[in-house]
Amino acid sequence: MQDAPSLWRAMAGPLEQRVSMGAPLDRDLVTEVAIVGAGYTGLAAAYALQKRGIGSIVLDAGEIGWGASGRNGGVVSSKFRLSFPLIARLHGLDTAKTMHRLAHDGVRAVEQLIDEFDIGRAQFEHTGSLRCAHTERALESIKSEADWVRTALGDRSMTVQSRAEVTRETGSNGFVGGVLSADAGTILPLEYVRGLAAGLVRRGAEIYESSPVLDMHRAPGHWGVMLRTSRGTVRANQVIVATNAYSNLTAATSPFTRELVPFRSAMIATERLPAELDAKLMVERRSYTETRRMMKWFRKVDGRMLFGGRDAFGKEGQTAGLDALRRAMVALFPELAGVRVEYGWSGYVGMTFNALPRVGRSDERTTFCLGYNGAGVAMASLLGQHAAALALGEKPELALLAQRGLKPVPFHSLRAPGVRVVAAWYKILDAMGA
Ligand SMILES: Cc1cc2nc3c(=O)[nH]c(=O)nc-3n(C[C@H](O)[C@H](O)[C@H](O)COP(=O)(O)OP(=O)(O)OC[C@H]3O[C@@H](n4cnc5c(N)ncnc54)[C@H](O)[C@@H]3O)c2cc1C
């Protein structure tokens, strides 16, 4: 499988520094829980099982972190795409409180995993995340959300910043103010996922790379699921499907794509910034998002500007989306016009129609966990663990994230054109400042 030419790969240590877990599955094995997918979800699930003394085997079609976990922006956030006031309005205050706790539990899960597996190379920093408003109307909306979270949930971690503060901190004149969420941070995503895998392997976990699961079917007896790869099989009592937006890699996992609308999301990284720009842009080194519907985000890593967005259509490897990202970056940061873009890559984000992740069982042997809507670093680190609990028959508190069975996305076969129509409409609304 082809590697994405990302900054993360360039920054990661040489391959020989990784723990050796590279061999594809070439035998017939038996384990209590088989896990398909070695991203944050699958590895967090393996971690939760290991803590309970339950055996598991993780299989990935590519390398560890080949999916979104090795390609993302590394923004560690404590929120869902659905705001907490909206959750309260739709589902009641108690549900909003539980969802708020789950969101912050996600950040705690990252901290705990980094500590426990000593993943210093992932450079996790609890920097906070600044949401920058592109219009007065957008600013009012995020301010009222921060007020609501403070008064209704007692959470004082969100504070309002003025236009002058946001301009000073970002180095861009493109915003009218913002809201800082203190319980958030940044991480090197590929180092994090590799560090998780290395930690698990040190404690005896079995992870097989280059082992796409081609077929999953029922077998008689306690080891009631049979997973087949091209050169081996795994028989298990339970299976956890942790393939998210990459579920359609093989027919065995593609039914889980029905839960999702995969959206291509892209990132660019510039060359190292000249000293005067480095001293001016993003001086607090947080992660930054903006309020446009077709949201862009940015942060500084390794002295470079990293800029991402969710409107990169076309096939992976095509550069049209990356050129559009560069234009959007220069619109917000005109001083970057002469700075070279050195890396550009993309990956798939699993969006859902209710804008929330989903954890559930599709039958008595199969648990799935997916749909992070582009905010999965923290949430997958948490929900993978809850998926493991669910697979063992426990009842973790999942509030609105719990889902029974597989619910196909309506008009599934039309979803690619549908995504384009929605995205085009969002762009028009953004251009109108609506
Ligand atoms: C460009 C981009 C930027 C993002 N930025 C952020 C961000 O800044 N902050 C944030 O919180 N989130 C971000 N996200 C989202 C985040 O990366 C994901 O939500 C998260 O990584 C999902 O983890 P996962 O383990 O569920 O899935 P993945 O990491 O995608 O792992 C799924 C794995 O399943 C494997 N697989 C699929 N089918 C099979 C099969 N049949 N057999 C074997 N293996 C299979 C794949 O090879 C893959 O490795 C971003 C995503 C992208 C693409």
Side-chain angles (χ1 to χ4, degrees):
M1 290 167 99
Q2 223 184 344
D3 291 347
S6 71
L7 173 64
W8 310 133
R9 284 188 181 276
M11 288 177 74
L15 278 185
E16 58 270 22
Q17 279 182 17
R18 300 193 302 134
V19 280
S20 76
M21 15 186 182
L25 179 71
D26 60 356
R27 280 164 291 155
D28 297 330
L29 298 174
V30 176
T31 187
E32 192 61 25
V33 183
I35 299 171
V36 190
Y40 305 138
T41 304
L43 298 178
Y47 164 75
L49 294 167
Q50 204 171 54
K51 275 204 307 194
R52 290 165 172 81
I54 309 276
S56 71
I57 288 175
V58 185
L59 301 168
D60 199 287
E63 270 183 11
I64 282 146
W66 180 83
S69 298
R71 309 167 186 235
N72 64 74
V75 175
V76 180
S77 61
S78 53
K79 52 175 66 166
F80 298 102
R81 203 151 65 85
L82 217 56
S83 74
F84 295 116
L86 184 58
I87 292 174
R89 210 155 56 239
L90 296 175
H91 304 282
L93 184 59
D94 283 346
T95 303
K97 283 183 176 163
T98 309
M99 293 292 285
H100 178 262
R101 204 197 60 232
L102 283 166
H104 289 268
D105 282 355
V107 183
R108 303 291 83 75
V110 174
E111 288 167 349
Q112 187 194 359
L113 287 163
I114 294 270
D115 266 11
E116 203 162 323
F117 291 136
D118 195 17
I119 318 176
R121 291 176 67 108
Q123 297 179 21
F124 173 65
E125 286 185 77
H126 200 256
T127 53
S129 178
L130 182 59
R131 188 138 182 240
C132 307
H134 72 296
T135 60
E136 291 293 346
R137 189 163 154 189
L139 181 60
E140 279 318 306
S141 158
I142 57 175
K143 268 172 151 175
S144 74
E145 183 182 339
D147 282 348
W148 188 89
V149 166
R150 189 170 48 251
T151 48
L153 304 179
D155 174 358
R156 305 193 160 273
S157 67
M158 288 166 88
T159 48
V160 177
Q161 285 205 359
S162 67
R163 180 195 283 261
E165 285 169 314
V166 173
T167 305
R168 180 198 70 81
E169 174 162 347
T170 58
S172 169
N173 291 320
F175 305 112
V176 301
V179 168
L180 174 66
S181 296
D183 193 18
T186 55
I187 203 164
L188 299 183
L190 183 60
E191 292 290 0
Y192 176 45
V193 71
R194 285 184 175 179
L196 288 179
L200 287 165
V201 168
R202 276 198 305 273
R203 293 184 187 180
E206 286 181 70
I207 305 175
Y208 295 91
E209 299 181 289
S210 305
S211 303
V213 174
L214 303 172
D215 178 48
M216 279 198 282
H217 64 260
R218 289 305 180 77
H222 178 75
W223 314 112
V225 215
M226 167 77 94
L227 284 73
R228 187 176 57 80
T229 69
S230 60
R231 292 166 58 195
T233 60
V234 177
R235 285 186 75 158
N237 177 18
Q238 294 286 322
V239 59
I240 297 175
V241 178
T243 49
N244 199 29
Y246 289 85
S247 299
N248 60 1
L249 282 184
T250 74
T253 45
S254 64
F256 295 88
T257 320
R258 274 189 279 145
E259 289 288 308
L260 299 171
V261 183
F263 225 90
R264 192 154 81 90
S265 188
M267 317 219 42
I268 52 175
T270 65
E271 63 182 320
R272 290 215 174 85
L273 300 176
E276 72 280 11
L277 274 183
D278 189 29
K280 184 178 168 196
L281 303 186
M282 288 167 280
V283 285
E284 306 290 346
R285 299 170 45 78
R286 305 185 208 278
S287 62
Y288 301 86
T289 58
E290 54 161 21
T291 45
R292 286 184 175 83
R293 285 174 186 78
M294 290 308 290
M295 186 190 69
K296 305 286 184 296
W297 67 91
F298 40 97
R299 58 181 282 211
K300 214 162 54 176
V301 182
D302 190 34
R304 305 161 190 273
M305 170 71 137
L306 195 67
F307 197 88
R310 234 171 258 164
D311 50 353
F313 296 119
K315 293 203 165 62
E316 250 177 296
Q318 289 180 351
T319 58
L322 303 181
D323 295 341
L325 268 186
R326 183 174 204 289
R327 285 194 297 278
M329 176 182 78
V330 172
L332 282 175
F333 300 93
E335 289 142 304
L336 293 178
V339 172
R340 209 156 33 89
V341 169
E342 278 191 351
Y343 299 93
W345 68 98
S346 67
Y348 287 99
V349 164
M351 309 295 273
T352 57
F353 268 90
N354 73 353
L356 293 171
R358 296 172 176 191
V359 192
R361 307 197 62 156
S362 53
D363 58 44
E364 72 277 12
R365 301 261 185 202
T366 314
T367 304
F368 62 93
C369 182
L370 36 71
Y372 303 102
N373 289 271
V377 177
M379 210 22 69
S381 303
L382 175 74
L383 293 186
Q385 298 186 50
H386 287 338
L390 211 57
L392 297 178
E394 297 171 22
K395 292 194 167 42
E397 174 63 274
L398 292 166
L400 301 175
L401 311 181
Q403 186 169 322
R404 248 173 260 125
L406 280 180
K407 276 201 198 118
V409 164
F411 310 116
H412 186 259
S413 58
L414 297 176
R415 72 199 162 152
V419 167
R420 284 188 180 84
V421 170
V422 172
W425 175 238
Y426 279 2
K427 277 185 179 166
I428 291 166
L429 290 175
D430 283 340
M432 288 163 39

